[in-house]
Amino acid sequence: MTTQADLNLETHTVVRDERVKEQNRLQRLLIRPEMGAFVGAVGIFVLFLIVAPPFRTPEALATVLYASSTIGIMAVGVGVLMIGGEFDLSSGVAVTTTSLAASMLSYNLHLNLWVGAALSLVIALAVGFFNGYMVMRTKIPSFLITLSSFFMLTGINLAVTKLLSGQVATPSVSDMQGFDSGKTVFASSFTILGVSVRVTVLWWILFTAIATYVLFRTRVGNWIFAVGGNQDSARAVGVPVTKVKIGLFMVVSFCAWFVGMHLLFAFNTVQSGQGIGNEFFYIIAAVVGGCLLTGGYGTAIGTLIGAFIFGMTNQGIVYAGWNPDWFKFFLGAMLLFAVIANNVVRNYAAKR
C-alpha cells in the first residue's frame, strides 16, 4: 500500500531529477564554444548603444553588418582550418592576389570578367593546395609555411601589378563585359524596411550555415575535429589526414577568392598593397568566437559572432566620436573583453 510519505518522496525525486536535467542543459549551453563570444557581443553592443547615439540607427546596424561580413566570410574558412589544427597567415594578401589576378587577366587578355574570375579561382585554389601540401609534406608548422607564402604573395602582388600596369593599382574594370552581373552577385545591395544592406551579409550567413552543417552533420566534419585534436590518432582510425588538411587550406583560399571578387566588383580597381595584416583580424574573429589555437574545438557560428564583435568595435569607435589615434587600442580592449568573457563563462560552466 502506497503511503503519503511514499508519494511525497516520489514527487521530490521527480522534481529533483527535473532540476538536474535543467542544470545539465544549462551547463551544456554555457560550455558551447560560441557562448562566451555571445556574452561578449551583447556587452559590446550595449556599450556602444549607450556611448554612441548614431549606433542606435538601422543604417548603423547595416554598416556594422557589412564591416562584419567582409571579415566574417574569411573568418569562417580560417576558423574551420583552425579547428583542423592549422593556421594560414597568407589569407589576408591572398584576398588581394585573387582580386588582382581577375582584374589583370581580364584587362590584359581582353576577357570577360567572369572568365578572369574563374582563372583567379584556379590560382587561389592552387595557392591553398600549395600551402596544404607543403605543410603535410615537410611537416613544418603551418605558421612558417604560410608566413613564407605571405611574403611571396606580397611581392608578387606588387611586382606583377607594376610590371603590367606601370603603377601600384589596376585599371578600372567598370566598363568591361561581365562587370554588371558580377557586381550583382558579389557587391550589390538590397533594401529591408528602407535600409540598404550589402549582399555580402547574406553570403556570410550562408557560408556560416554550410560550414556548421558540414562540421556537425557530415563525416568530413568528424574528420576535421579528429585531425585537429590528434592527427596521429585520426590517421590510425582511417581518417585521410593529408586530404583533409589540404582541403581545409583550399577552403580558406576559396573564401579569399570570394572576398577578393567582392573587392574587385565593389571598387572597380585594386591596390596591390591591400590585405596586409587582415589575416590577424580573421584569426582574432575565430579565436574570439571560441576556436582554440590548439585545434579540435570551435564552431562556425562562433566565428560569425567573433566577426560581428569586430564589426561593432570597428564602426562603434567611429560612431562614438573617439579619437581615431586610439583606434587600435580600443579595438584591442574590446576584443580582450570578449576573450575574457568567453573564458569566464566556460570556467563557470565547468565548475557547475
Side-chain angles (χ1 to χ4, degrees):
M1 180 177 180
T2 303
T3 65
Q4 185 62 40
D6 292 333
L7 292 175
N8 290 341
L9 178 60
E10 183 178 349
T11 302
H12 176 74
T13 302
V14 171
V15 171
R16 184 190 61 192
D17 290 344
E18 289 298 323
R19 287 177 178 174
V20 170
K21 289 180 181 179
E22 289 293 333
Q23 289 177 347
N24 290 339
R25 280 195 289 265
L26 178 61
Q27 187 175 15
R28 287 196 297 269
L29 177 64
L30 290 177
I31 63 176
R32 287 186 61 84
E34 67 273 11
M35 195 59 197
F38 177 76
V39 173
V42 171
I44 293 173
F45 185 77
V46 171
L47 171 65
F48 284 120
L49 281 179
I50 295 171
V51 303
F55 189 81
R56 305 165 192 166
T57 64
E59 290 77 12
L61 178 59
T63 303
V64 167
L65 288 174
Y66 172 57
S68 303
S69 66
T70 53
I71 296 295
I73 291 173
M74 282 301 301
V76 171
V78 169
V80 172
L81 177 64
M82 288 177 63
I83 293 172
E86 304 294 346
F87 291 92
D88 190 348
L89 294 181
S90 67
S91 55
V93 292
V95 171
T96 307
T97 300
T98 62
S99 190
L100 289 170
S103 176
M104 289 188 291
L105 285 170
S106 299
Y107 188 87
N108 289 282
L109 299 180
H110 308 289
L111 302 174
N112 185 295
L113 280 172
W114 280 104
V115 177
L119 294 174
S120 175
L121 176 59
V122 173
I123 293 172
L125 295 177
V127 171
F129 179 86
F130 171 81
N131 285 337
Y133 178 80
M134 291 300 293
V135 168
M136 299 307 297
R137 179 70 174 179
T138 65
K139 308 303 180 184
I140 295 173
S142 55
F143 175 89
L144 295 175
I145 294 293
T146 58
L147 182 61
S148 302
S149 298
F150 165 84
F151 284 112
M152 288 190 290
L153 291 178
T154 301
I156 289 173
N157 290 350
L158 179 60
V160 175
T161 303
K162 291 183 71 174
L163 178 66
L164 295 180
S165 66
Q167 54 188 357
V168 296
T170 61
S172 173
V173 295
S174 59
D175 58 346
M176 294 186 64
Q177 189 176 21
F179 179 81
D180 291 336
S181 58
K183 185 170 184 177
T184 299
V185 173
F186 296 105
S188 60
S189 300
F190 59 96
T191 302
I192 298 180
L193 300 177
V195 179
S196 179
V197 180
R198 301 299 289 266
V199 71
T200 50
V201 176
L202 293 182
W203 286 116
W204 174 35
I205 296 172
L206 177 62
F207 283 14
T208 302
I210 292 173
T212 299
Y213 178 81
V214 170
L215 285 173
F216 295 102
R217 291 290 185 270
T218 68
R219 178 184 297 179
V220 173
N222 291 333
W223 290 348
I224 293 171
F225 281 104
V227 300
N230 188 317
Q231 70 175 27
D232 293 331
S233 298
R235 183 178 283 110
V237 296
V239 175
V241 175
T242 299
K243 291 181 180 179
V244 170
K245 293 215 173 189
I246 291 176
L248 291 176
F249 278 102
M250 294 177 73
V251 167
V252 174
S253 294
F254 173 80
C255 293
W257 171 80
F258 196 93
V259 176
M261 294 307 96
H262 167 71
L263 294 178
L264 176 62
F265 288 102
F267 303 106
N268 311 331
T269 182
V270 186
Q271 295 286 333
S272 59
Q274 287 180 246
I276 297 175
N278 284 353
E279 59 277 353
F280 295 110
F281 295 147
Y282 310 146
I283 292 173
I284 287 170
V287 172
V288 169
C291 296
L292 294 184
L293 295 174
T294 53
Y297 187 81
T299 66
I301 294 176
T303 68
L304 182 146
I305 299 173
F308 185 56
I309 288 175
F310 175 89
M312 285 193 294
T313 306
N314 190 11
Q315 298 301 314
I317 289 172
V318 176
Y319 290 134
W322 294 342
N323 188 334
D325 293 339
W326 291 84
F327 172 77
K328 293 270 177 85
F329 171 81
F330 288 125
L331 177 61
M334 293 300 101
L335 293 174
L336 180 61
F337 169 79
V339 172
I340 291 174
N342 194 343
N343 288 334
V344 168
V345 171
R346 282 167 49 190
N347 290 337
Y348 171 76
K351 293 177 182 178
R352 290 182 61 85

